[in-house]
């Protein structure tokens, strides 16, 4: 083997890739599949991601840091406007952009709106990622791939790659990483080996509780739910081999009438939210947890700048 070959093999790349797409395009599911652990909340409700979650993929030759943004959408509230600002700021700072487009939905005005915005970002390479391929047959998938290729041509740019993937079925997930990594700059690792995200634990715990609270609630509720973890403290007086972490968290909704939906008959729904989220929190933190949940009203918090600040937006 020549010295030059050995040198080229020793190159290490590290950088940031951002997944964009309209709400519910499979960005969070793909992030979790690539990282190999839940770092972003997923839900069948659109617009459930509110924080840019960084998932970190470690390879011997590279470190791929995934930035999962909220879905870009037409904002109806101050929260919506702030989420869109987060997306645009992120786009300007990453090394490569992955545009997620679901295979089971024809390209719509929302996709064109985002693609138009992407066309304005000249220097950053763009990869089209066709998600949810497990939901369609090969003919539908082929038509979608052609339509996406055409969309880039119409707007005057070329996709670096177009890759079909099923994060749920685990198909071609690693290929996405294989295609993104060569587009990153040469760099030593930016995060320590073993780190899977740079999200503070309290934020991740709050997100896991919110994910559980979103399941099965009526259509008008998803965007009204916010969760704040007030404290996480080890229980005193426990033996070293049987630790317990006490977590106190508040689930905020916008109107008193929504309280009953979250709590459920005789507290059954809130209990279920606690049980589901506790399982994921224990897996994340690697320790048994006592979870204390309370439901509070923060009137019209999505439209109130003071409330948004208090709830971390």
């Amino acid at each position: 083997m020549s010295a030059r070959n050995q040198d080229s093999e020793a190159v290490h790349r590290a950088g940031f890739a951002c997944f964009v797409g309209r709400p519910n395009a499979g960005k969070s599911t793909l992030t979790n599949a690539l990282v190999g652990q839940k770092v972003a909340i997923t839900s069948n409700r659109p617009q459930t991601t509110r924080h840019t979650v960084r998932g970190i993929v470690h390879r011997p030759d590279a470190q791929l840091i995934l930035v999962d943004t909220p879905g870009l959408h037409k904002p109806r509230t101050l929260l919506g406007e702030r989420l869109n600002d987060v997306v645009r700021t992120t786009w300007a700072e990453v090394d490569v952009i992955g545009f997620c487009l679901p295979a089971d939905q024809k390209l719509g005005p929302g996709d064109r709106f985002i693609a138009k915005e992407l066309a304005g970002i000249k220097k950053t390479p763009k990869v089209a990622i066709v998600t949810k391929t497990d939901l369609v047959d090969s003919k539908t998938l082929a038509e979608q791939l052609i339509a996406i290729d055409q969309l880039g041509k119409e707007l005057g740019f070329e996709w670096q790659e177009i890759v079909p993937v099923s994060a749920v079925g685990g198909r071609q997930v690693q290929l996405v990483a294989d295609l993104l990594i060569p587009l990153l700059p040469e760099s030593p690792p930016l995060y320590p080996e073993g780190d899977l995200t740079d999200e503070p634990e309290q934020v991740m715990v709050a997100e896991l509780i919110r994910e559980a609270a979103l399941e099965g609630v009526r259509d008008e509720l998803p965007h009204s739910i916010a969760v704040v973890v007030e404290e996480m403290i080890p229980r005193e007086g426990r033996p070293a081999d049987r630790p317990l972490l006490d977590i106190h968290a508040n689930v905020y909704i916008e109107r008193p009438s929504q309280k009953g939906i979250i709590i459920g008959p005789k507290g059954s729904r809130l209990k279920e939210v606690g049980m589901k989220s506790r399982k994921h929190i224990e897996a994340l933190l690697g320790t048994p947890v006592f979870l204390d949940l309370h439901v509070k009203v923060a009137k019209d918090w999505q439209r109130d700048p003071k409330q948004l600040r208090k709830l971390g937006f």
Side-chain angles (χ1 to χ4, degrees):
M1 189 185 283
S2 71
R4 187 192 290 184
N5 275 353
Q6 283 177 320
D7 280 354
S8 67
E9 278 184 23
V11 165
H12 188 282
R13 295 181 182 276
F16 294 84
C18 165
F19 289 153
V20 303
R22 57 193 160 95
N24 211 20
K27 302 181 294 292
S28 299
T29 308
L30 183 57
T31 297
N32 291 336
L34 280 161
V35 175
Q37 189 178 316
K38 198 182 203 53
V39 290
I41 84 160
T42 57
S43 165
N44 57 4
R45 304 275 182 217
Q47 278 165 261
T48 50
T49 304
R50 290 190 186 145
H51 298 274
T52 34
V53 174
R54 289 187 170 87
I56 305 164
V57 180
H58 299 272
R59 290 196 172 185
D61 61 333
Q63 193 176 72
L64 174 64
I65 299 130
L66 301 167
V67 184
D68 176 37
T69 59
L72 198 70
H73 61 290
K74 203 168 185 178
R76 292 195 303 271
T77 62
L78 181 60
L79 173 66
E81 285 172 26
R82 290 203 178 164
L83 294 181
N84 277 357
D85 289 344
V86 166
V87 177
R88 291 194 182 94
T89 307
T90 307
W91 291 4
E93 294 168 349
V94 296
D95 302 299
V96 54
I97 296 171
F99 184 13
C100 293
L101 299 124
D104 64 330
Q105 293 166 38
K106 281 193 156 63
L107 297 186
D111 299 314
R112 289 176 194 283
F113 168 66
I114 294 169
K116 219 172 191 168
E117 297 248 342
L118 288 178
I121 303 166
K122 302 291 183 202
K123 286 180 184 168
T124 313
K126 300 156 200 71
V127 173
I129 301 168
V130 187
T131 58
K132 309 186 184 186
T133 58
D134 53 305
L135 301 179
V136 297
D137 58 28
S138 53
K139 181 175 177 286
T140 310
L141 178 57
E143 286 166 1
Q144 186 75 324
L145 295 173
I146 292 163
I148 290 166
D149 183 46
Q150 198 53 44
L151 178 63
K153 289 193 173 89
E154 276 171 35
L155 295 170
F157 71 88
E158 201 167 316
W159 301 107
Q160 202 82 25
E161 305 278 357
I162 301 176
V163 55
V165 64
S166 166
V168 171
R171 286 205 295 274
Q172 305 225 105
V173 171
Q174 291 316 310
L175 180 60
V176 173
D178 293 343
L179 296 173
L180 295 176
I181 285 167
L183 303 172
L184 304 178
E186 289 184 22
S187 160
L190 302 171
Y191 288 89
E193 182 69 45
D195 280 14
L196 296 180
T197 180
D198 68 352
E199 274 280 38
E201 281 181 349
Q202 271 183 240
V203 172
M204 290 189 73
V205 167
E207 287 289 271
L208 290 171
I209 295 167
R210 191 164 70 91
E211 178 179 41
L214 280 171
E215 277 183 36
V217 291
R218 287 221 307 269
D219 287 353
E220 73 272 18
L221 215 52
H223 315 313
S224 301
I225 297 172
V227 177
V228 175
V229 172
E230 297 296 336
E231 60 177 6
M232 289 169 46
I233 40 175
R235 178 82 58 93
E236 285 183 13
R238 298 280 295 190
D241 60 340
R242 285 182 54 233
L244 185 67
L245 187 68
D246 285 321
I247 298 177
H248 301 277
N250 292 326
V251 179
Y252 288 95
I253 31 89
E254 293 191 291
R255 296 188 295 281
S257 60
Q258 297 170 336
K259 216 169 177 176
I261 300 172
I262 288 288
I263 293 171
K266 295 183 179 170
S268 60
R269 216 185 116 53
L270 189 63
K271 195 174 171 185
E272 201 180 311
V273 169
M275 280 161 56
K276 274 188 178 160
S277 56
R278 197 181 73 231
K279 202 168 74 182
H280 289 303
I281 293 164
E282 290 180 340
L284 172 76
L285 303 177
T287 185
V289 159
F290 171 78
L291 186 57
D292 177 38
L293 289 181
H294 293 273
V295 180
K296 297 192 171 187
V297 178
K299 196 172 180 319
D300 293 331
W301 66 264
Q302 293 188 74
R303 291 172 174 79
D304 180 344
K306 210 162 108 187
Q307 299 271 27
L308 281 172
R309 274 198 304 278
K310 184 184 156 192
L311 298 175
F313 298 106

